[in-house]
Amino acid sequence: MKNQWIEFFSGKVTVKVSGRGIERFLNVLTRNGLMIWNVKRHGTETITFTMSLSDALKIRHFAREKECSITFLRRAGMPFLFKRLLKNSGFIGGAILFLMIILVLSNVIWGIEIKGAKPATEYQIRKELDKMGVKIGKVQFFVDNVEGIQRKLTNNVGNLTWVGVELKGTTYHLQVVEKKEPEKPEQLAPRNLVAKKKAVIDSMYVETGQKMVDIHDHVEAGQLLVSGVIGKEGQTQQVAAIGEVWGETWYRSHVELPLKTKFFVFNGQEKQKFSLILGNLEIPIWGFGEPDFQEYEAEKNVKKINLLKWELPISIGNETLRAREETTRTYTDKEAEKNALELAKNKIKSGLDEEAIIKDEKILHKELKDGKVILDIHFKIIENIAVGQPIPKETPE
Protein backbone atom coordinates (compact mmCIF):
# COMPACT_ATOMS: atom_id res chain seq x y z
CA MET A 1 0.00 0.00 0.00
CA LYS A 2 1.33 3.41 -0.85
CA ASN A 3 2.18 5.58 2.09
CA GLN A 4 -0.50 8.27 2.03
CA TRP A 5 1.68 10.84 3.79
CA ILE A 6 4.44 10.43 1.21
CA GLU A 7 1.87 10.82 -1.55
CA PHE A 8 0.58 14.02 0.06
CA PHE A 9 3.96 15.69 0.45
CA SER A 10 5.32 14.64 -2.98
CA GLY A 11 2.05 15.27 -4.85
CA LYS A 12 0.01 12.92 -7.02
CA VAL A 13 -1.85 13.17 -10.31
CA THR A 14 -4.81 11.24 -11.74
CA VAL A 15 -4.11 10.60 -15.44
CA LYS A 16 -6.53 9.68 -18.27
CA VAL A 17 -4.97 7.87 -21.26
CA SER A 18 -6.85 7.26 -24.52
CA GLY A 19 -5.73 5.41 -27.66
CA ARG A 20 -5.23 2.02 -29.25
CA GLY A 21 -1.90 1.15 -27.66
CA ILE A 22 -2.75 1.72 -24.01
CA GLU A 23 -1.60 -1.78 -22.94
CA ARG A 24 1.83 -1.28 -24.62
CA PHE A 25 1.93 2.19 -23.02
CA LEU A 26 1.43 0.73 -19.54
CA ASN A 27 4.15 -1.87 -20.16
CA VAL A 28 6.58 0.89 -21.21
CA LEU A 29 5.86 2.84 -18.02
CA THR A 30 6.49 -0.24 -15.89
CA ARG A 31 9.77 -1.09 -17.69
CA ASN A 32 11.02 2.45 -17.13
CA GLY A 33 10.32 2.33 -13.36
CA LEU A 34 7.31 4.67 -13.30
CA MET A 35 4.92 3.60 -10.52
CA ILE A 36 1.15 3.71 -11.15
CA TRP A 37 -1.82 2.61 -9.04
CA ASN A 38 -5.61 2.71 -8.99
CA VAL A 39 -5.66 1.56 -12.65
CA LYS A 40 -9.22 1.51 -14.05
CA ARG A 41 -10.47 0.75 -17.57
CA HIS A 42 -13.20 2.88 -19.14
CA GLY A 43 -14.22 1.19 -22.35
CA THR A 44 -11.78 -0.43 -24.81
CA GLU A 45 -9.47 2.51 -25.44
CA THR A 46 -9.49 4.56 -22.21
CA ILE A 47 -7.92 3.96 -18.82
CA THR A 48 -7.25 6.10 -15.72
CA PHE A 49 -4.59 5.69 -13.08
CA THR A 50 -2.77 7.62 -10.36
CA MET A 51 0.95 8.35 -10.22
CA SER A 52 3.38 10.65 -8.44
CA LEU A 53 3.94 14.19 -9.67
CA SER A 54 7.60 13.58 -10.47
CA ASP A 55 6.75 10.59 -12.72
CA ALA A 56 3.85 12.42 -14.36
CA LEU A 57 6.29 14.93 -15.80
CA LYS A 58 7.98 12.11 -17.82
CA ILE A 59 5.04 10.29 -19.43
CA ARG A 60 4.29 12.63 -22.34
CA HIS A 61 7.36 11.34 -24.20
CA PHE A 62 6.21 7.72 -23.94
CA ALA A 63 2.65 8.64 -24.89
CA ARG A 64 3.76 10.24 -28.16
CA GLU A 65 5.69 7.09 -29.08
CA LYS A 66 2.62 4.86 -28.52
CA GLU A 67 0.13 7.24 -30.18
CA CYS A 68 -1.85 7.83 -26.97
CA SER A 69 -3.47 11.05 -25.74
CA ILE A 70 -2.99 12.10 -22.10
CA THR A 71 -5.26 14.24 -19.91
CA PHE A 72 -4.49 15.17 -16.31
CA LEU A 73 -7.80 14.92 -14.40
CA ARG A 74 -7.00 15.68 -10.78
CA ARG A 75 -4.03 17.10 -8.92
CA ALA A 76 -3.57 16.66 -5.16
CA GLY A 77 -0.88 17.07 -2.52
CA MET A 78 1.37 19.67 -0.96
CA PRO A 79 2.93 21.12 -4.16
CA PHE A 80 -0.48 21.98 -5.65
CA LEU A 81 -1.81 23.24 -2.30
CA PHE A 82 1.19 25.52 -1.92
CA LYS A 83 0.68 26.83 -5.45
CA ARG A 84 -2.96 27.70 -4.69
CA LEU A 85 -1.91 29.42 -1.46
CA LEU A 86 0.54 31.60 -3.42
CA LYS A 87 -2.28 32.67 -5.75
CA ASN A 88 -4.38 33.69 -2.73
CA SER A 89 -1.56 35.16 -0.67
CA GLY A 90 -3.51 38.35 0.07
CA PHE A 91 -6.40 36.45 1.59
CA ILE A 92 -4.06 34.18 3.56
CA GLY A 93 -2.09 37.16 4.85
CA GLY A 94 -5.28 38.90 5.94
CA ALA A 95 -6.48 35.75 7.72
CA ILE A 96 -3.16 35.37 9.53
CA LEU A 97 -3.20 39.05 10.53
CA PHE A 98 -6.80 38.72 11.78
CA LEU A 99 -5.89 35.67 13.86
CA MET A 100 -2.90 37.51 15.32
CA ILE A 101 -5.10 40.49 16.27
CA ILE A 102 -7.68 38.19 17.89
CA LEU A 103 -4.88 36.42 19.75
CA VAL A 104 -3.49 39.68 21.09
CA LEU A 105 -6.90 41.07 22.06
CA SER A 106 -7.78 37.82 23.79
CA ASN A 107 -4.76 38.30 26.04
CA VAL A 108 -5.39 41.93 26.93
CA ILE A 109 -6.82 42.89 30.34
CA TRP A 110 -10.31 44.28 29.70
CA GLY A 111 -11.76 44.30 33.20
CA ILE A 112 -10.87 44.33 36.91
CA GLU A 113 -13.70 43.57 39.35
CA ILE A 114 -13.21 43.93 43.10
CA LYS A 115 -15.80 42.60 45.56
CA GLY A 116 -15.98 42.77 49.35
CA ALA A 117 -13.84 45.91 49.78
CA LYS A 118 -14.79 49.31 51.14
CA PRO A 119 -14.25 52.27 48.78
CA ALA A 120 -11.05 53.34 50.55
CA THR A 121 -9.63 49.81 50.46
CA GLU A 122 -10.64 49.37 46.81
CA TYR A 123 -8.79 52.58 45.95
CA GLN A 124 -5.63 51.23 47.65
CA ILE A 125 -5.95 47.89 45.82
CA ARG A 126 -6.36 49.57 42.41
CA LYS A 127 -3.42 51.84 43.15
CA GLU A 128 -1.27 48.81 43.99
CA LEU A 129 -2.46 46.98 40.87
CA ASP A 130 -1.41 49.98 38.77
CA LYS A 131 2.10 49.75 40.28
CA MET A 132 2.22 46.06 39.29
CA GLY A 133 1.07 46.87 35.75
CA VAL A 134 -2.30 45.14 36.16
CA LYS A 135 -4.48 47.69 34.37
CA ILE A 136 -7.02 47.85 31.56
CA GLY A 137 -5.38 47.49 28.14
CA LYS A 138 -2.22 45.77 29.40
CA VAL A 139 -1.24 42.47 27.77
CA GLN A 140 -1.49 39.62 30.26
CA PHE A 141 1.86 38.20 29.18
CA PHE A 142 3.65 41.17 30.79
CA VAL A 143 2.07 41.00 34.27
CA ASP A 144 2.57 38.63 37.20
CA ASN A 145 0.62 35.41 37.43
CA VAL A 146 -2.41 35.12 39.72
CA GLU A 147 -0.42 33.80 42.67
CA GLY A 148 2.12 36.63 42.39
CA ILE A 149 -0.60 39.31 42.27
CA GLN A 150 -2.33 37.78 45.29
CA ARG A 151 0.91 37.63 47.30
CA LYS A 152 1.92 41.23 46.54
CA LEU A 153 -1.53 42.62 47.39
CA THR A 154 -1.59 40.78 50.73
CA ASN A 155 1.88 42.10 51.59
CA ASN A 156 1.45 45.69 50.40
CA VAL A 157 -2.16 46.52 51.39
CA GLY A 158 -2.19 46.59 55.18
CA ASN A 159 -5.88 46.16 55.99
CA LEU A 160 -6.39 42.94 54.01
CA THR A 161 -6.90 39.63 55.78
CA TRP A 162 -7.18 37.69 52.53
CA VAL A 163 -7.58 38.40 48.84
CA GLY A 164 -8.48 35.87 46.16
CA VAL A 165 -7.45 36.59 42.58
CA GLU A 166 -8.97 34.73 39.63
CA LEU A 167 -8.52 35.35 35.92
CA LYS A 168 -11.61 34.57 33.83
CA GLY A 169 -11.02 35.26 30.15
CA THR A 170 -9.87 38.87 29.97
CA THR A 171 -11.14 39.98 33.41
CA TYR A 172 -9.47 39.75 36.81
CA HIS A 173 -11.91 38.99 39.65
CA LEU A 174 -10.75 39.92 43.17
CA GLN A 175 -12.59 38.76 46.30
CA VAL A 176 -11.47 40.71 49.37
CA VAL A 177 -11.75 40.04 53.11
CA GLU A 178 -10.78 43.07 55.19
CA LYS A 179 -9.38 43.08 58.70
CA LYS A 180 -11.97 43.88 61.33
CA GLU A 181 -10.57 46.43 63.70
CA PRO A 182 -12.22 46.69 67.12
CA GLU A 183 -14.48 49.69 67.44
CA LYS A 184 -12.98 52.38 69.56
CA PRO A 185 -15.19 53.27 72.52
CA GLU A 186 -16.82 56.65 72.15
CA GLN A 187 -15.38 59.23 74.51
CA LEU A 188 -18.37 60.89 76.15
CA ALA A 189 -18.35 64.05 78.22
CA PRO A 190 -20.16 64.02 81.59
CA ARG A 191 -23.89 63.98 80.95
CA ASN A 192 -27.34 63.02 82.22
CA LEU A 193 -30.00 61.00 80.49
CA VAL A 194 -33.34 62.80 80.16
CA ALA A 195 -36.70 61.86 78.63
CA LYS A 196 -37.17 63.01 75.04
CA LYS A 197 -40.97 62.71 75.31
CA LYS A 198 -43.84 62.01 77.67
CA ALA A 199 -44.06 58.31 78.63
CA VAL A 200 -44.63 55.62 81.27
CA ILE A 201 -41.44 53.68 82.14
CA ASP A 202 -41.66 50.07 80.92
CA SER A 203 -38.10 48.85 81.54
CA MET A 204 -34.62 50.23 81.94
CA TYR A 205 -30.97 49.28 81.87
CA VAL A 206 -28.31 51.54 83.39
CA GLU A 207 -24.63 50.88 82.74
CA THR A 208 -23.20 54.10 84.18
CA GLY A 209 -24.94 56.68 86.33
CA GLN A 210 -27.63 56.81 89.03
CA LYS A 211 -31.29 55.94 88.38
CA MET A 212 -33.69 58.74 89.17
CA VAL A 213 -36.96 56.97 88.14
CA ASP A 214 -38.49 53.49 88.45
CA ILE A 215 -40.63 51.22 86.30
CA HIS A 216 -44.26 52.40 85.87
CA ASP A 217 -43.30 56.01 86.70
CA HIS A 218 -44.92 58.65 84.54
CA VAL A 219 -42.32 61.05 83.14
CA GLU A 220 -42.52 64.29 81.17
CA ALA A 221 -40.36 65.46 78.31
CA GLY A 222 -37.01 66.75 79.65
CA GLN A 223 -37.34 64.96 83.00
CA LEU A 224 -34.11 63.52 84.49
CA LEU A 225 -33.97 59.73 84.11
CA VAL A 226 -30.36 58.83 84.91
CA SER A 227 -28.02 61.25 86.65
CA GLY A 228 -24.36 61.54 85.68
CA VAL A 229 -23.46 62.71 89.19
CA ILE A 230 -22.51 59.72 91.37
CA GLY A 231 -21.05 59.22 94.85
CA LYS A 232 -21.94 60.34 98.36
CA GLU A 233 -22.58 63.92 99.36
CA GLY A 234 -19.31 65.78 99.44
CA GLN A 235 -17.53 63.05 97.43
CA THR A 236 -19.37 63.20 94.12
CA GLN A 237 -17.98 62.97 90.64
CA GLN A 238 -19.41 63.54 87.19
CA VAL A 239 -19.54 60.74 84.61
CA ALA A 240 -21.23 60.13 81.29
CA ALA A 241 -24.53 58.41 82.07
CA ILE A 242 -24.99 55.38 79.80
CA GLY A 243 -28.09 53.22 79.56
CA GLU A 244 -31.46 52.63 77.96
CA VAL A 245 -34.83 53.64 79.34
CA TRP A 246 -37.77 52.07 77.55
CA GLY A 247 -41.08 53.83 77.91
CA GLU A 248 -44.63 53.46 76.65
CA THR A 249 -45.43 56.37 74.37
CA TRP A 250 -48.56 57.30 72.42
CA TYR A 251 -49.16 58.38 68.85
CA ARG A 252 -52.23 59.26 66.83
CA SER A 253 -52.40 58.64 63.09
CA HIS A 254 -54.90 59.78 60.47
CA VAL A 255 -55.08 57.80 57.22
CA GLU A 256 -57.36 57.78 54.17
CA LEU A 257 -57.52 54.95 51.62
CA PRO A 258 -59.68 54.91 48.44
CA LEU A 259 -61.88 51.85 47.95
CA LYS A 260 -61.09 51.99 44.22
CA THR A 261 -57.60 52.70 42.90
CA LYS A 262 -56.51 52.99 39.28
CA PHE A 263 -52.91 52.18 38.35
CA PHE A 264 -50.85 50.83 35.46
CA VAL A 265 -49.35 47.33 35.13
CA PHE A 266 -47.00 45.94 32.47
CA ASN A 267 -48.50 43.27 30.17
CA GLY A 268 -45.21 41.79 28.92
CA GLN A 269 -45.10 43.41 25.47
CA GLU A 270 -42.10 45.55 24.67
CA LYS A 271 -40.21 47.10 21.76
CA GLN A 272 -36.46 47.66 21.55
CA LYS A 273 -34.90 50.63 19.78
CA PHE A 274 -31.19 51.12 19.15
CA SER A 275 -29.42 54.25 18.01
CA LEU A 276 -25.92 55.56 17.36
CA ILE A 277 -25.15 58.71 19.36
CA LEU A 278 -22.51 61.17 18.11
CA GLY A 279 -22.47 64.14 20.47
CA ASN A 280 -25.96 65.65 20.25
CA LEU A 281 -26.79 63.71 17.08
CA GLU A 282 -28.77 60.48 17.49
CA ILE A 283 -29.06 58.16 14.47
CA PRO A 284 -31.61 55.28 14.65
CA ILE A 285 -30.11 51.94 13.59
CA TRP A 286 -32.74 49.41 14.72
CA GLY A 287 -36.39 49.35 15.83
CA PHE A 288 -37.87 51.99 13.54
CA GLY A 289 -41.41 53.27 13.83
CA GLU A 290 -43.86 53.55 16.68
CA PRO A 291 -44.82 50.54 18.84
CA ASP A 292 -48.05 48.62 18.27
CA PHE A 293 -49.34 49.62 21.72
CA GLN A 294 -50.49 53.08 22.81
CA GLU A 295 -49.73 53.14 26.53
CA TYR A 296 -46.09 52.45 27.38
CA GLU A 297 -43.24 53.39 29.66
CA ALA A 298 -39.81 54.17 28.17
CA GLU A 299 -36.46 53.27 29.70
CA LYS A 300 -33.26 54.39 28.00
CA ASN A 301 -29.68 53.25 28.57
CA VAL A 302 -26.59 54.72 26.94
CA LYS A 303 -23.38 52.70 26.68
CA LYS A 304 -20.05 54.27 25.75
CA ILE A 305 -17.88 52.55 23.13
CA ASN A 306 -14.27 51.97 24.21
CA LEU A 307 -11.22 51.12 22.15
CA LEU A 308 -8.79 49.39 24.49
CA LYS A 309 -8.46 51.90 27.35
CA TRP A 310 -9.75 54.93 25.40
CA GLU A 311 -13.34 56.12 25.45
CA LEU A 312 -14.56 57.06 21.98
CA PRO A 313 -17.00 59.97 21.39
CA ILE A 314 -19.53 57.41 20.16
CA SER A 315 -22.28 55.77 22.21
CA ILE A 316 -24.95 53.13 21.64
CA GLY A 317 -28.41 54.06 22.91
CA ASN A 318 -30.90 51.35 23.86
CA GLU A 319 -34.48 52.41 24.51
CA THR A 320 -36.97 49.86 25.84
CA LEU A 321 -40.67 50.64 25.42
CA ARG A 322 -42.79 48.49 27.77
CA ALA A 323 -46.52 48.25 27.15
CA ARG A 324 -48.75 48.99 30.14
CA GLU A 325 -52.45 48.69 30.86
CA GLU A 326 -54.66 50.58 33.25
CA THR A 327 -56.35 48.42 35.87
CA THR A 328 -58.63 49.11 38.81
CA ARG A 329 -58.19 47.61 42.26
CA THR A 330 -61.32 47.47 44.42
CA TYR A 331 -61.36 46.85 48.18
CA THR A 332 -64.26 45.72 50.32
CA ASP A 333 -64.85 47.73 53.51
CA LYS A 334 -62.96 45.18 55.63
CA GLU A 335 -60.07 44.94 53.17
CA ALA A 336 -59.80 48.73 53.01
CA GLU A 337 -59.78 48.97 56.81
CA LYS A 338 -57.07 46.30 57.08
CA ASN A 339 -54.87 47.95 54.45
CA ALA A 340 -55.42 51.41 55.93
CA LEU A 341 -54.32 50.10 59.34
CA GLU A 342 -51.20 48.55 57.81
CA LEU A 343 -50.49 51.81 56.02
CA ALA A 344 -50.77 53.71 59.31
CA LYS A 345 -48.38 51.25 61.02
CA ASN A 346 -45.77 51.70 58.31
CA LYS A 347 -46.15 55.46 58.55
CA ILE A 348 -45.59 55.34 62.33
CA LYS A 349 -42.58 52.97 62.05
CA SER A 350 -40.89 55.26 59.51
CA GLY A 351 -40.54 57.93 62.22
CA LEU A 352 -39.31 55.59 65.00
CA ASP A 353 -36.02 53.89 65.84
CA GLU A 354 -35.54 50.36 64.49
CA GLU A 355 -35.79 48.87 68.03
CA ALA A 356 -39.17 50.48 68.73
CA ILE A 357 -42.14 48.08 69.08
CA ILE A 358 -45.82 48.71 68.43
CA LYS A 359 -47.48 47.38 71.59
CA ASP A 360 -51.11 48.05 70.72
CA GLU A 361 -53.35 49.98 68.34
CA LYS A 362 -56.94 51.14 68.68
CA ILE A 363 -59.23 52.63 66.04
CA LEU A 364 -60.72 55.80 67.52
CA HIS A 365 -62.79 56.80 64.51
CA LYS A 366 -63.80 55.07 61.27
CA GLU A 367 -65.74 56.61 58.42
CA LEU A 368 -66.64 55.82 54.79
CA LYS A 369 -66.84 59.02 52.81
CA ASP A 370 -66.44 59.97 49.13
CA GLY A 371 -65.36 56.43 48.20
CA LYS A 372 -62.64 56.34 50.87
CA VAL A 373 -62.19 54.69 54.25
CA ILE A 374 -60.99 57.21 56.86
CA LEU A 375 -59.36 56.02 60.08
CA ASP A 376 -58.06 57.77 63.20
CA ILE A 377 -55.84 55.32 65.09
CA HIS A 378 -54.22 55.45 68.54
CA PHE A 379 -50.91 53.55 68.87
CA LYS A 380 -49.03 52.47 72.00
CA ILE A 381 -45.30 52.27 71.32
CA ILE A 382 -42.43 50.89 73.41
CA GLU A 383 -39.30 52.87 72.59
CA ASN A 384 -36.08 54.11 74.12
CA ILE A 385 -36.88 57.59 75.42
CA ALA A 386 -33.46 58.38 76.93
CA VAL A 387 -31.27 61.06 75.32
CA GLY A 388 -28.01 62.54 76.54
CA GLN A 389 -27.87 66.03 78.03
CA PRO A 390 -24.65 67.72 79.21
CA ILE A 391 -24.44 68.28 82.97
CA PRO A 392 -24.75 72.03 83.60
CA LYS A 393 -21.66 73.62 85.12
CA GLU A 394 -22.07 74.88 88.67
CA THR A 395 -21.66 78.62 88.98
CA PRO A 396 -19.67 79.85 91.99
CA GLU A 397 -21.67 81.73 94.60
Side-chain angles (χ1 to χ4, degrees), residues 37-281:
W37 60 94
N38 293 337
V39 179
K40 296 180 182 179
R41 179 177 287 276
H42 305 275
T44 58
E45 296 184 356
T46 303
I47 61 171
T48 60
F49 56 83
T50 305
M51 65 189 312
S52 66
L53 173 62
S54 58
D55 290 342
L57 299 175
K58 305 174 184 177
I59 65 171
R60 288 191 181 276
H61 171 69
F62 301 113
R64 284 194 293 269
E65 291 181 349
K66 301 302 177 182
E67 299 179 354
C68 296
S69 63
I70 298 175
T71 304
F72 296 107
L73 300 180
R74 289 186 297 274
R75 301 171 176 82
M78 179 64 76
F80 302 105
L81 179 62
F82 184 71
K83 188 176 181 180
R84 285 196 294 269
L85 290 177
L86 289 178
K87 290 182 179 179
N88 298 283
S89 58
F91 175 80
I92 299 301
I96 294 174
L97 180 61
F98 175 78
L99 291 176
M100 291 179 62
I101 293 174
I102 293 298
L103 179 64
V104 172
L105 294 180
S106 298
N107 290 277
V108 171
I109 302 173
W110 293 114
I112 300 173
E113 295 184 0
I114 302 175
K115 296 182 179 179
K118 296 177 182 177
T121 305
E122 182 176 343
Y123 172 78
Q124 293 180 359
I125 292 173
R126 292 190 182 275
K127 191 174 180 180
E128 193 63 33
L129 289 174
D130 283 344
K131 291 181 181 178
M132 290 187 281
V134 182
K135 57 180 72 175
I136 304 298
K138 191 74 179 261
V139 179
Q140 297 173 17
F141 300 131
F142 302 109
V143 302
D144 288 339
N145 58 22
V146 169
E147 291 77 14
I149 295 172
Q150 183 173 327
R151 183 177 60 256
K152 289 182 179 180
L153 287 176
T154 304
N155 294 336
N156 298 338
V157 181
N159 57 339
L160 292 184
T161 298
W162 175 85
V163 57
V165 182
E166 185 180 7
L167 177 60
K168 293 182 179 179
T170 59
T171 302
Y172 281 91
H173 298 265
L174 283 73
Q175 185 65 46
V176 176
V177 177
E178 296 189 50
K179 293 179 180 178
K180 293 184 178 180
E181 299 182 358
E183 295 183 3
K184 298 179 180 180
E186 185 181 0
Q187 299 295 324
L188 299 174
R191 67 174 188 178
N192 298 322
L193 294 180
V194 300
K196 63 181 178 181
K197 59 182 65 175
K198 183 179 179 180
V200 173
I201 305 301
D202 182 77
S203 63
M204 59 191 307
Y205 162 72
V206 177
E207 181 179 340
T208 305
Q210 184 175 351
K211 291 194 303 181
M212 304 302 292
V213 293
D214 289 318
I215 296 175
H216 305 308
D217 284 357
H218 187 285
V219 297
E220 299 290 335
Q223 184 174 335
L224 181 63
L225 303 176
V226 180
S227 174
V229 180
I230 60 175
K232 297 181 181 179
E233 188 176 350
Q235 297 180 342
T236 60
Q237 61 174 331
Q238 295 182 350
V239 297
I242 301 174
E244 296 178 351
V245 181
W246 294 84
E248 180 184 296
T249 58
W250 310 274
Y251 293 84
R252 184 166 177 168
S253 178
H254 177 83
V255 63
E256 298 181 5
L257 183 68
L259 296 177
K260 290 185 178 181
T261 306
K262 292 184 178 181
F263 57 94
F264 288 97
V265 294
F266 295 117
N267 62 12
Q269 290 182 282
E270 64 178 37
K271 180 181 177 66
Q272 297 283 344
K273 288 188 173 186
F274 292 90
S275 58
L276 189 65
I277 302 174
L278 303 171
N280 295 326
L281 179 63

Side-chain angles (χ1 to χ4, degrees), residues 323-367:
R324 63 182 188 179
E325 297 176 350
E326 187 178 59
T327 185
T328 301
R329 178 175 56 197
T330 303
Y331 291 123
T332 63
D333 293 353
K334 289 186 178 180
E335 289 174 339
E337 181 179 329
K338 181 180 178 181
N339 283 277
L341 183 59
E342 194 64 31
L343 184 64
K345 284 183 180 180
N346 293 333
K347 184 178 178 182
I348 290 293
K349 286 180 179 179
S350 65
L352 299 174
D353 296 333
E354 293 184 0
E355 298 85 1
I357 301 171
I358 297 179
K359 182 180 179 181
D360 188 26
E361 69 270 350
K362 183 179 180 181
I363 298 177
L364 302 178
H365 175 72
K366 179 175 69 173
E367 181 182 4

